[in-house]
Amino acid sequence: MTNKYDDIIDLPHHVSTTHPQMSMHARAAQFAPFAALSGHHAAIAQTERVVEEENVQQTTTDSDMFDFADQEQ
């Protein structure tokens, strides 16, 4: 039984005569993680700060209402 690549499996590895071989460092850089969403983390942090401020303001407003209701009685 023959396999799909039996005709080429023993051929020597091709080395380009026109393009220099890429360094290991340059090859690794191609696969390194990158910031596809640059600024995304900062935007999330800013949104979190705004929501926290709104929650604090809402909590303060709610407690002021309760204080006012207690004064009326």
Side-chain angles (χ1 to χ4, degrees):
M1 173 172 231
T2 60
N3 291 321
K4 186 174 180 178
Y5 299 108
D6 280 347
D7 59 332
I8 63 170
I9 196 71
D10 292 323
L11 292 178
H13 177 74
H14 172 73
V15 177
S16 175
T17 56
T18 57
H19 299 289
Q21 194 168 12
M22 188 181 286
S23 71
M24 291 289 272
H25 180 74
R27 286 179 57 89
Q30 286 187 338
F31 300 101
F34 65 99
L37 300 173
S38 60
H40 182 68
H41 181 72
I44 296 290
Q46 177 62 25
T47 301
E48 183 178 4
R49 283 191 293 273
V50 168
V51 169
E52 283 296 320
E53 288 174 11
E54 289 173 354
N55 286 342
V56 167
Q57 289 173 355
Q58 183 64 39
T59 302
T60 304
T61 304
D62 289 348
S63 64
D64 289 346
M65 282 192 208
F66 290 126
D67 291 343
F68 181 74
D70 290 340
Q71 291 174 2
E72 285 186 346
Q73 291 177 352

